[in-house]
Amino acid sequence: MRKASLDLVYELAKEDPRIVFIGSDLGHGTLDAMKKEIPDRFYMEGVSEQHVIGMAAGLAMEGFIP
């Protein structure tokens, strides 16, 4: 289920430049294709959930879809 969800995020991001992925320590290899193809919209913030929420809110306020 997790892989299917992440794959869908990647597929949607390829179609919509507003979509940004922000991960929180999901492990090595997570969304490697997205990281390689559209690195400016891929953020792996590590174990820092509070930061991820603030970052997502800021990106949303600027018109992105985190």
Side-chain angles (χ1 to χ4, degrees), residues 13-40:
K14 288 194 290 187
E15 297 175 16
D16 188 339
R18 299 172 301 155
I19 294 177
V20 176
F21 175 80
I22 307 171
S24 178
D25 196 30
L26 296 178
H28 180 71
T30 302
L31 286 175
D32 275 346
M34 181 176 181
K35 182 178 176 180
K36 183 177 179 181
E37 188 174 326
I38 44 179
D40 59 325

Side-chain angles (χ1 to χ4, degrees), residues 2 21-28 30 42-49 52:
R2 177 180 137 174
F21 175 80
I22 307 171
S24 178
D25 196 30
L26 296 178
H28 180 71
T30 302
F42 178 90
Y43 301 95
M44 189 61 71
E45 294 303 307
V47 182
S48 181
E49 288 80 2
V52 170

Side-chain angles (χ1 to χ4, degrees), residues 3-20:
K3 182 175 177 356
S5 296
L6 292 172
D7 288 345
L8 182 58
V9 168
Y10 174 48
E11 291 302 318
L12 291 170
K14 288 194 290 187
E15 297 175 16
D16 188 339
R18 299 172 301 155
I19 294 177
V20 176

